Amino acid sequence: MPSLMILIPLFGVIILNLVFAVNSRMKKAAFWLALAIFSLQVVVAVFHHPALWNDSLGRIDSFLNVSFFVDHLSFIMFICIGMVSIASLFVARYGMKDEDDIFKFINLLIMASIGMSGIVMVKDIFSLYVFMEITAVSSFLLIAFPRSLESLEGSFKYLILSSIATVLMLTSIGILFLAAGGTDFDAIAAAIGASYENALVLAAIGLFICGLFIKGGLVPFHGWLPDAYTAAPAPVSVLLAGVVTKSAGIYTMIRITTSLLPHYQSVNNILMLVGTISIFAGALAAIGQDNFKRMLAYSSISQMGYIILGLGTGTILGIAGAVFHLLNHSIFKSLLFVNSAAVEKEIGTSDMNRMGGISQKMPVTGTTSVIAFLSTCGIPPLSGFWSKVIIVIALWQAGQYAYASLAIIASIITLAYFLSMQRRVFFGKLRAGLENLKDAEGGVLTVSVVLAALTIGIGIFFPFVFNTLILPVKEILVR
Amino acid sequence: MIAFLILLLLICGAYCIVVTRSMIRAIIGIELLIKAVTLLIIAAGNMTGRTATAQSLAITIIIIEVVVAATAAGIALWVFKRTGTLDVRNLRNLKG
């Protein structure tokens, strides 16, 4: 059954191009088809009934020769992917007026979501590479979508760095293939366990992790990320920040470190170091930005640092905190990017120096963005507070007192840049020339309100969400 | 011998990406790097006696790499249409 998560969207794309491409009325209906596909994905992932997942499809699976598996971490990623894709879909309908553009966008969006769904289900390091490339190629095309010089630049930078990451990971796959004689996670884990101190195997691990750092945009390798996020059209920024870097970089890192390298303390030390550097570099760079989207991009880097820091503890609590922060971050960062899309569309720029006091004219956008930013900074009782607290407690329990203190100090910098953003964009006196401003369309506002409600809801019902959704993730450690 | 070839291709590709200012040459550099890695996987399959697996992996890599190269060439083409050159020094509008 897990292969249906790939097959249904794939047939969706085929039907989209065979049936829905005939005339403009059908092209408008493509939006609803995509919405149905993504909603289905969210619904089956939220109510993950075991009967639905354990059976294989028999003949279809053996024909396709695929072997997927799902666990609770995959369900969380499915929820993120579906939710952020829906948000991106609504922003696209609001931001793009040309039907043909929306139609092409929907095709690429579904392809990207197929790639990400594949990433979270594979149990084979080579299939992981294949699905990563599907996601990456769709993202290149999505970033370059407006074909302006900026978007082409952002896309080309991403393409070059992503290809370098691919080369690093493929080199690593080649070496591990040599050592293990196969590309299965189990075979590779056994081979790594057997040749523990082999220099070649260690080099392969290092190369793979470097590749994942590039894909996830963590600090020594983050050069492409702010450019790509800023240059991409608004719905694509939502998608990139919400799930693409998370599933291609962070999820894979969680999967690789827990299932392939459980006994390498040095890997954990590197993760914690890179995480802390990312937190600080991202937050400090975010303070100096004038562009709304660019500031959010640096803030993303900083929050990715928290996830990696939690992962680096290597304990159950740390990994649960990392996964929880991943879920929360994909909710509130997509909310912020949806809001930035609304502001950019209504004002016509994302330069923060030309905004001011727009909360008066865009009350829903203003209010939801305050909720999202409070959650990012870790103000109780919003969702971001709980995940950060869990990460800090896990660090403290693991004896990493310095890292725990640094994580808390960095929260203050987060507060600083977000307060400065709120003051310049939403609060204060209305800037001259913005008197005729009005709030965004109903669809986008609904998405904002739903995402804000999720941020508040996860925060208030934290024990329930944590016990039912996040804590079962610990099964990945004892596999 | 094969290790030497792989290393040579890797160095050529990396040098190409670092030195060049032309988008097309950067794409060719990436291609060289991926060719080196494909060779590595074929060599690994040969050494472990799993040539069939290595073959299928190599073919998959070639297919994916063609898609990436086509996308990159498309982006380069649009940059050429917008600016009239393929010089990467034109791609410096995004800063901060």
Side-chain angles (χ1 to χ4, degrees), chain A residues 51 215 465:
Chain A
K215 289 268 185 191
V465 175

Side-chain angles (χ1 to χ4, degrees), chain A residues 30 86 177 210 264 291 343 402 438 472:
Chain A
I86 291 172
F177 180 52
C210 279
Y264 279 95
N291 186 312
V343 170
K438 54 183 193 313

Side-chain angles (χ1 to χ4, degrees), chain A residues 164-338:
Chain A
I164 291 170
T166 302
V167 170
L168 294 179
M169 284 192 284
L170 272 179
T171 313
S172 158
I173 290 172
I175 296 170
L176 292 175
F177 180 52
L178 187 62
T183 53
D184 245 57
F185 278 168
D186 297 333
I188 288 175
I192 288 177
S195 49
Y196 203 69
E197 306 257 292
N198 188 331
L200 213 54
V201 170
L202 283 180
I205 294 168
L207 288 175
F208 205 91
I209 288 178
C210 279
L212 292 181
F213 280 154
I214 296 180
K215 289 268 185 191
L218 288 152
V219 151
F221 311 103
H222 68 292
W224 63 271
L225 194 143
D227 290 348
Y229 282 20
T230 317
V236 183
S237 304
V238 175
L239 190 75
L240 283 175
V243 282
V244 169
T245 47
K246 284 199 189 66
S247 47
I250 309 296
Y251 164 83
T252 321
M253 189 88 77
I254 296 175
R255 182 65 80 197
I256 294 290
T257 46
T258 50
S259 59
L260 300 190
L261 329 157
H263 307 299
Y264 279 95
Q265 187 53 41
S266 52
V267 170
N268 286 345
N269 290 340
I270 291 171
L271 289 181
M272 280 193 283
L273 184 67
V274 169
T276 313
I277 295 172
S278 298
I279 292 172
F280 274 93
L284 290 174
I287 293 178
Q289 298 305 320
D290 281 333
N291 186 312
F292 197 175
K293 280 164 88 177
R294 209 171 176 85
M295 195 218 79
L296 292 179
Y298 278 110
S299 156
S300 256
I301 295 175
S302 168
Q303 301 301 316
M304 293 295 174
Y306 276 102
I307 300 174
I308 291 297
L309 188 60
L311 176 63
T313 58
T315 58
I316 289 175
L317 194 65
I319 290 170
V323 174
F324 196 25
H325 199 59
L326 195 155
L327 173 69
N328 290 336
H329 182 254
S330 90
I331 294 172
F332 57 65
K333 194 48 63 79
S334 4
L335 171 54
L336 281 167
F337 269 103
V338 169

Side-chain angles (χ1 to χ4, degrees), chain A residues 287 295 352 415-425:
Chain A
I287 293 178
M295 195 218 79
M352 287 200 277
L415 199 60
Y417 67 76
F418 266 117
L419 273 179
S420 131
M421 179 277 276
Q422 289 290 335
R423 236 186 70 77
R424 285 160 79 183
V425 177

Side-chain angles (χ1 to χ4, degrees), chain A residues 126 129-130 133 137 141 147 149-150 152-153 155-156 159 163 167 170-171 174 177-178 181 227 289 294 298, chain B residues 23 30 33-34 37 40 44-45 48 50 57 61 64 68 71-72 75 78 82-83 91-96:
Chain A
F126 191 80
Y129 151 76
V130 172
E133 285 301 288
V137 170
L141 292 171
R147 285 176 290 197
L149 198 54
E150 279 82 22
L152 292 169
E153 177 185 345
S155 176
F156 195 70
L159 192 147
S163 301
V167 170
L170 272 179
T171 313
F177 180 52
L178 187 62
D227 290 348
Q289 298 305 320
R294 209 171 176 85
Y298 278 110
Chain B
M23 291 174 80
I30 295 282
L33 286 174
I34 296 182
V37 180
L40 171 70
T48 51
R50 291 174 186 264
L57 298 189
I61 293 176
I64 292 172
V68 174
T71 313
I75 294 170
W78 272 99
R82 292 268 181 266
T83 63
L91 300 180
R92 283 188 187 168
N93 300 311
L94 300 167
K95 275 186 191 140

